[in-house]
Amino acid sequence: MYGGGYIFEETKNGSPENEDSRKLEIFEARIAAGEKIEPTDWMPAEYRKQLIRMIEQHAHSEIIGALPEGTWITRAPGFRRKLALMAKVQDEVGHAQLLYSAAETLGKTREDMINDLITGKSKYSNVFNYPAVTWADTAIIAWLIDAGAIINQVANSKGSYGPYCRALERICVEESFHLKYGHDNVVFLATGTPKQREMVQDALNRWWPPIMHFFGPSDKISVHTETLMRWKVKMASNDDMRQKFLDMYVPKIWELGLTIPDPLLKKNEETGQWEYTEPDWQEFKRVINGDGPCNKERLAVRRRAEEKGEWVRLALLRSEEKYTVPLS
Amino acid sequence: MKEFNELNDKKTTAIKDLLYRLADDQLILGHRNSEWTGLGPILEEDIAFSSMAQDKLGQSQALYQLLHQIGEDDPDTIAFTRKVNEYKCCHLVEYPIGEYNFSLMRHFLFDMSEAIRFNMLGSSSFEPLAKISKKFKGELKYHTMHAVTWINQLGHGSGNSPAKIQASLDECFPLALGIFEPSGYEDILIGEKIFFGEKELQEKWLEAVIPVLKNANLKIPDIKNIKASYGGRKGIHTEYLKPLIDEMTEVYKIDTKAEW
């Protein structure tokens, strides 16, 4: 997973006007021509800053996202599900590794990024501040959150920054397996015993609002991002991605006989657009600012992992003074 | 299959006991190692422990499948519905993951024994076991490579790293000796050339682990004065196994007849 929607800061200083106009012109021409920008190329300070912010948030979302699903590995029912979930969550951690590396090419170290995560300075996808209450929640996450992430990440993989695009291409291939796994899991529950059906419907009811939040605030209330779109940092509008998701997955959910907890949800055949109850953006803001059901727990777990592992990282840093052996 | 039909009762019982011991060890340690997912000291170790856990789970499934072929229930039923005292795993694999140094030392001591065990089982007279042992051997090669590299690094690491690794060695050693708790079927297994016996395995294991530990600057525990942690092979377990089994079977037991 887990791209999440675009949440950018307002552009303040470092706006393109302060950049060398000739270099900026060449830079923008390259992007317009579909070229990729590489780590050693000149780039505006604002481009670097916003990319670090976006890739870092994405990487954090992967390791924090590993927690709600990871906690069900030890409870997965049967070998098939246990092995598949282990492999899936492992992939997510691998995505974090790839993304931190991509962000490092822009000049911020993995240690600094993780430090900003555990001190609460840097954000991650809001959906992971909600709990995975039952086994069925993991099925819904693997299917629908990963599906949302693919829509977001396929768009981003056509962006302008080379290392991020290449990481995303690989990530998308793996995500497509996660989606298949999640769908298979939901199908078994939805067509299973009455208890299994009840579990999966409850999970869908719980996860629908976070899923609608997933693509980020409506374009009507988002900050202006024309420059970022011209620079191919932001590749699609939040509302467009939400529409695309609804178009692809609402029919599949209904096909399984499940009910979506939004009485207003329907496709307007004239406009071709989905109509839905406006997500509660006040709640979205409240949760992203730290007041969700799991924010404190997620960061506490991550912080504890960092603290407990510190001696290992320190031991590795200086061990070559006495002993040198490649790690792999 | 021919090789299954030829088994007589006594021999079958001995083989089943052996397979349960092997499979339960893999299942429980695989389960434990998977608990590192998302919590490792560095991302690369989350990923490594998960890979090894997946291999162990896959190995246990293959061994349970062999049991199924000689008359036991299917792998899911065996793994997810037995009572705690019906598991035959050793105590070492039951302990919680603890600190990274504990999990690493357990992984080293256990996987070194596994590598030797499955290498030798590759020539077992029980052909189905010989066949899958050859496959496991290829996987275990990477597990031991990983363990030896890290034991070396941290044994020579800076700060309190060597002391932490030494403490884990001292804690794990009696538990590790419990891997080699003899079963009640050693004579049949050895006589029928199915398995060469736990005693011989322990000797070969010591020959393999001691040089690595010495090379990592660690003090070897006084083996003669250590009491091995026995009981697991007879179904007598530590306090840690029951909560693990309860957690592992929590969803499955909502409805054991349902398809998950």
Side-chain angles (χ1 to χ4, degrees):
Chain A
M1 310 178 208
Y2 311 104
Y6 297 103
I7 308 149
F8 291 105
E9 273 178 345
E10 294 273 6
T11 305
K12 289 175 193 161
N13 0 327
S15 64
E17 292 76 35
N18 297 340
E19 300 285 354
D20 178 325
S21 60
R22 169 122 189 86
K23 283 179 177 167
L24 185 64
E25 199 179 305
I26 297 169
F27 170 83
E28 292 196 340
R30 286 184 63 197
I31 290 176
E35 279 185 48
K36 300 287 182 201
I37 304 300
E38 296 297 335
T40 51
D41 295 344
W42 182 90
M43 61 186 83
E46 185 64 14
Y47 177 83
R48 185 184 298 276
K49 185 181 141 198
Q50 295 283 8
L51 267 175
I52 290 176
R53 183 184 161 85
M54 182 168 77
I55 303 172
E56 180 181 3
Q57 276 180 11
H58 189 170
H60 295 334
S61 301
E62 302 280 357
I63 52 169
I64 295 292
L67 300 178
E69 285 187 288
T71 186
W72 285 94
I73 289 173
T74 54
R75 292 176 278 180
F79 276 104
R80 184 161 158 257
R81 296 295 183 212
K82 199 173 173 77
L83 280 164
L85 184 59
M86 283 162 86
K88 179 201 187 289
V89 184
Q90 181 191 35
D91 280 352
E92 310 296 6
V93 180
H95 297 170
Q97 187 198 19
L98 276 174
L99 291 163
Y100 283 125
S101 300
E104 280 189 315
T105 63
L106 291 158
K108 185 170 179 180
T109 65
R110 192 201 284 188
E111 290 73 21
D112 284 346
M113 290 185 263
I114 289 181
N115 200 39
D116 283 350
L117 168 67
I118 60 180
T119 54
K121 193 177 160 195
S122 167
K123 304 290 183 211
Y124 53 87
S125 183
N126 220 20
V127 283
F128 305 116
N129 288 320
Y130 292 87
V133 179
T134 71
W135 169 250
D137 294 55
T138 69
I140 293 289
I141 294 172
W143 183 29
L144 296 178
I145 300 292
D146 282 49
I150 290 176
I151 290 172
N152 181 231
Q153 289 166 179
V154 165
N156 279 0
S157 73
K158 296 177 175 61
S160 62
Y161 190 58
Y164 187 43
C165 297
R166 289 189 286 274
L168 285 176
E169 276 168 22
R170 179 168 156 187
I171 288 171
C172 286
V173 173
E174 294 184 351
E175 294 294 351
S176 65
F177 284 100
H178 300 176
L179 188 147
K180 280 182 194 162
Y181 156 78
H183 184 242
D184 183 73
N185 208 339
V186 171
V187 168
F188 269 68
L189 295 172
T191 59
T193 65
K195 174 72 188 161
Q196 286 175 310
R197 237 185 122 64
E198 185 192 328
M199 279 171 77
V200 76
Q201 180 64 59
D202 284 350
L204 179 63
N205 294 348
R206 271 191 292 278
W207 280 86
W208 190 254
I211 286 168
M212 291 299 280
H213 281 153
F214 181 78
F215 298 96
S218 163
D219 299 330
K220 288 173 278 192
I221 56 169
S222 293
V223 295
H224 293 290
T225 52
E226 290 82 7
T227 310
L228 295 173
M229 289 191 98
R230 190 170 69 246
W231 287 348
K232 294 186 185 170
V233 173
K234 181 180 163 98
M235 294 298 292
S237 91
N238 294 351
D239 284 336
D240 286 352
M241 288 191 291
R242 202 166 3 252
Q243 284 291 333
K244 195 167 181 189
F245 172 83
L246 294 171
D247 226 19
M248 288 171 80
Y249 292 97
V250 170
K252 290 191 172 74
I253 296 168
W254 283 342
E255 211 171 76
L256 290 169
L258 296 170
T259 310
I260 294 171
D262 179 356
L264 300 183
L265 183 72
K266 67 169 174 24
K267 190 167 185 173
N268 182 327
E269 293 303 337
E270 278 177 26
T271 60
Q273 295 287 300
W274 285 87
E275 293 170 0
Y276 46 80
T277 307
E278 191 60 31
D280 182 348
W281 297 115
Q282 289 308 316
E283 177 184 329
F284 178 80
K285 271 190 193 157
R286 189 169 56 75
V287 176
I288 212 162
N289 286 322
D291 192 20
C294 297
N295 301 54
K296 288 190 180 66
E297 182 197 321
R298 299 280 185 252
L299 284 188
V301 170
R302 193 64 244 165
R303 203 174 295 127
R304 199 168 68 237
E306 288 306 310
E307 284 165 6
K308 280 177 78 173
E310 192 182 13
W311 70 271
V312 180
R313 297 189 297 276
L314 289 175
L316 291 179
L317 277 179
R318 283 183 284 158
S319 63
E320 67 276 7
E321 286 168 17
K322 285 160 77 180
Y323 187 84
T324 18
V325 117
L327 264 182
S328 58
Chain B
M1 286 168 81
K2 192 178 160 221
E3 57 267 37
F4 294 129
N5 296 336
E6 282 174 352
L7 298 175
N8 62 40
D9 286 352
K10 223 168 138 189
K11 200 167 149 186
T12 307
T13 310
I15 288 175
K16 281 184 182 176
D17 182 74
L18 173 67
L19 292 175
Y20 269 115
R21 283 186 278 139
L22 299 178
D24 289 346
D25 275 355
Q26 313 296 324
L27 173 69
I28 302 303
L29 188 56
H31 180 99
R32 282 296 186 212
N33 283 345
S34 78
E35 291 178 38
W36 278 106
T37 312
L39 305 173
I42 54 172
L43 295 180
E44 287 74 4
E45 277 305 278
D46 279 42
I47 295 166
F49 265 79
S50 178
S51 283
M52 294 186 292
Q54 288 169 55
D55 282 349
K56 295 232 176 302
L57 253 288
Q59 290 165 3
S60 72
Q61 190 183 21
L63 290 161
Y64 290 132
Q65 188 60 37
L66 272 190
L67 277 162
H68 185 44
Q69 287 170 313
I70 51 176
E72 298 295 284
D73 270 319
D74 64 277
D76 277 348
T77 306
I78 294 177
F80 289 85
T81 63
R82 272 179 299 159
K83 295 191 183 75
V84 174
N85 63 8
E86 291 171 322
Y87 287 82
K88 298 282 176 63
C89 52
C90 64
H91 293 172
L92 176 69
V93 298
E94 299 170 10
Y95 271 60
I97 58 172
E99 297 281 329
Y100 178 73
N101 44 311
F102 177 85
S103 280
L104 174 68
M105 184 54 77
R106 164 163 66 186
H107 151 50
F108 167 70
L109 295 173
F110 183 79
D111 282 331
M112 291 294 278
S113 82
E114 290 278 278
I116 301 164
R117 188 189 287 273
F118 285 112
N119 183 32
M120 299 183 88
L121 281 172
S123 55
S124 171
S125 66
F126 182 47
E127 282 178 31
L129 178 58
K131 204 172 153 192
I132 59 170
S133 296
K134 284 174 191 155
K135 179 176 178 286
F136 295 174
K137 192 185 144 192
E139 294 173 352
L140 284 160
K141 186 178 132 190
Y142 295 98
H143 298 199
T144 53
M145 193 190 286
H146 175 266
V148 169
T149 306
W150 273 94
I151 292 285
N152 247 326
Q153 281 291 126
L154 296 180
H156 292 274
S158 60
N160 60 354
S161 162
K164 284 177 92 79
I165 293 294
Q166 181 70 53
S168 300
L169 175 61
D170 297 342
E171 186 184 358
C172 285
F173 216 81
L175 298 169
L177 291 176
I179 299 171
F180 314 104
E181 177 183 354
S183 76
Y185 305 95
E186 296 287 298
D187 291 347
I188 306 173
L189 293 173
I190 296 167
E192 295 281 346
K193 296 189 166 42
I194 296 161
F195 176 53
F196 42 87
E198 298 295 337
K199 192 165 175 287
E200 190 180 333
L201 175 61
Q202 180 176 325
E203 282 164 18
K204 288 189 187 305
W205 173 77
L206 284 169
E207 284 168 20
V209 297
I210 288 174
V212 178
L213 295 168
K214 282 187 174 163
N215 197 34
N217 240 359
L218 296 169
K219 189 169 164 283
I220 310 300
D222 179 8
I223 295 148
K224 289 199 175 57
N225 288 313
I226 289 175
K227 191 168 174 282
S229 190
Y230 282 175
R233 306 307 189 189
K234 295 185 177 63
I236 303 159
H237 294 289
T238 65
E239 62 191 285
Y240 305 117
L241 187 63
K242 187 172 184 304
L244 182 153
I245 303 291
D246 288 345
E247 185 178 337
M248 185 172 81
T249 58
E250 182 188 309
V251 179
Y252 192 83
K253 283 186 176 166
I254 292 174
D255 188 344
T256 54
K257 297 278 177 282
E259 279 194 83
W260 293 95

